[in-house]
Amino acid sequence: MADTSENSSSSSSQGLAAGSGSNRVDAKTRKKSDSILFAWFAGSLASCGAVTFTNPFEVVKTRLQLQGELARATPNMVKPYHNVGQAFWVIGRNEGLRGLQKGLGPGYMYQIMLNGTRLGFYEPVKNVLYKVFTGQTSNGQKPVIPLNVAAGGLCGMAGAALGSPFFLVKTRMQSASDFAAVGFQHHYKSSIDGLRRIWKEGGVRGLYRGMDAAMMRAGAGSSVQLATYDHFKSFFSRRLAHRGLDGDSMATHFLASMVTGFFVCLVMNPFDVVSTRMYNQKAGAGGHGGALYRNPLQCFYKTVSTEGFFSLYKGFMAHYLRLGPHTILMFVFMEQIKALGKRHF
């Protein structure tokens, strides 16, 4: 965001000097509401608020993506989960609200690491790229989509790397079920228990197993999400200006987020399936590597060759029902938090 400077006039040269000095100070001193720290705080708080409502669909998505792992479809294949609605009902009926909110604790920590980083550093990284390639910051000029995509991807990958241990525990807790188990079952008592057991089993390498897949996932999703949100926020504010909507309107944020969620899900779902499977697999012998997949590329290959191309879109509807509302809630919450920051700081 551009800093604002007071424009003042004075009949005396002393007044002009004082005014210009004040402007120089204002130009150098950013508002707290425009700082990286505040952006990180706003992104963290907004994403934690959003995931509180959307976590049940993350549980459903995880189980749908693990169902039938590396198994060829046959008419007699038993599938405990048939679709989003039925899976939601089965989990809720047999495991209750706690079952639908499994993994919420590490989910909060992952959101802070991922979205605090990518939303907090997106604007600074974007400005650096704009300065390098265009000679000026992104403020006040037409958006350059490739640079927006690059900034989003870089911030997303950094956030995913920081939050990888929490995503690992979250995925394993969400897949665990005593009623309708899919994938390998880890059965952690809590987030702390999960982190402790993973550390004991594989050390640092164990905690960061699957990080490469998560970085691919977050990089793909963030590059599309942040750049697309910027584009559609600007698009709707221009096209609907005659209805009184602008870039700070909640309706504009809602529309931009709704469209963004679909495109993100379309690009991200194959990486999400691979990431879920890389994280949930049993550890290899001696705690090194995975028992099913050595790396994301092998996971892609084995999944497609065994289950077909569209297996990469398993859980797509659950993914959108999680990602669409999550994107909407996160950006709406974040914009409102930033607006509060502008007014009070």
Side-chain angles (χ1 to χ4, degrees):
M1 295 182 184
D3 291 323
T4 58
S5 300
E6 294 183 1
N7 294 319
S8 60
S9 62
S10 173
S11 57
S12 68
S13 58
Q14 184 178 0
L16 286 170
S20 61
S22 175
N23 288 343
R24 285 196 297 271
V25 172
D26 287 342
K28 291 178 182 178
T29 307
R30 293 173 62 89
K31 283 185 176 181
K32 290 181 182 179
S33 60
D34 289 338
S35 68
I36 294 176
L37 180 61
F38 185 84
W40 180 86
F41 170 77
S44 298
L45 187 60
S47 58
C48 284
V51 81
T52 303
F53 295 97
T54 60
N55 190 68
F57 288 106
E58 180 76 4
V59 174
V60 171
K61 173 188 71 74
T62 297
R63 297 193 186 183
L64 286 170
Q65 289 178 342
L66 289 172
Q67 182 171 256
E69 184 175 17
L70 298 185
R72 296 187 183 278
T74 63
N76 298 323
M77 179 181 287
V78 177
K79 293 184 177 181
Y81 308 112
H82 304 303
N83 53 57
V84 179
Q86 184 264 355
F88 197 99
W89 170 255
V90 167
I91 297 170
R93 183 180 181 182
N94 293 281
E95 301 175 44
L97 181 60
R98 291 186 64 181
L100 289 170
Q101 287 289 21
K102 278 187 174 179
L104 184 60
Y108 282 142
M109 293 304 300
Y110 178 71
Q111 291 298 322
I112 291 171
M113 295 296 179
L114 173 67
N115 288 311
T117 300
R118 72 192 186 105
L119 296 177
F121 287 91
Y122 174 63
E123 287 295 335
V125 171
K126 185 172 72 170
N127 281 330
V128 169
L129 292 178
Y130 271 70
K131 282 183 179 179
V132 170
F133 291 99
T134 70
Q136 57 183 318
T137 64
S138 61
N139 297 321
Q141 67 167 300
K142 186 177 180 181
V144 181
I145 300 299
L147 295 183
N148 292 358
V149 169
L154 288 171
C155 293
M157 287 189 288
L162 289 172
S164 185
F166 300 105
F167 196 92
L168 173 65
V169 174
K170 177 187 75 69
T171 300
R172 293 181 173 186
M173 290 180 73
Q174 290 175 338
S175 68
S177 173
D178 293 326
F179 174 77
V182 290
F184 186 79
Q185 300 290 285
H186 296 273
H187 293 297
Y188 299 141
K189 297 176 182 177
S190 64
S191 304
I192 300 299
D193 177 59
L195 291 169
R196 181 184 59 78
R197 287 170 59 181
I198 294 168
W199 172 267
K200 185 177 180 180
E201 183 181 69
V204 174
R205 289 182 64 183
L207 286 173
Y208 283 91
R209 182 180 298 122
M211 182 181 73
D212 45 0
M215 291 177 68
M216 292 169 63
R217 169 188 178 273
S222 297
S223 61
V224 175
Q225 185 180 52
L226 297 176
T228 307
Y229 179 75
D230 267 0
H231 174 76
F232 281 106
K233 180 181 171 183
S234 176
F235 173 81
F236 285 123
S237 63
R238 289 197 312 270
R239 290 301 181 95
L240 300 176
H242 65 286
R243 294 183 177 271
L245 299 183
D246 57 26
D248 290 326
S249 166
M250 186 175 290
T252 303
H253 303 159
F254 178 86
L255 290 170
S257 299
M258 186 167 61
V259 177
T260 296
F262 174 77
F263 283 105
V264 171
C265 196
L266 195 65
V267 172
M268 192 178 176
N269 205 83
F271 298 98
D272 197 57
V273 170
V274 169
S275 180
T276 297
R277 294 184 173 192
M278 289 287 293
Y279 274 131
N280 193 67
Q281 67 176 326
K282 181 182 178 181
H288 300 298
L292 295 177
Y293 317 106
R294 292 191 302 272
N295 54 60
L297 292 179
Q298 188 190 42
C299 184
F300 266 111
Y301 174 76
K302 292 179 75 171
T303 298
V304 172
S305 61
T306 306
E307 303 171 54
F309 173 79
F310 288 104
S311 62
L312 295 175
Y313 281 90
K314 279 186 172 182
F316 180 87
M317 185 54 65
H319 194 186
Y320 181 73
L321 290 175
R322 186 209 66 94
L323 191 62
H326 184 92
T327 303
I328 293 166
L329 290 168
M330 182 180 69
F331 279 120
V332 169
F333 288 164
M334 187 178 70
E335 296 285 2
Q336 298 311 306
I337 293 168
K338 286 165 70 176
L340 285 172
K342 284 183 181 180
R343 287 200 297 268
H344 298 288
F345 298 100

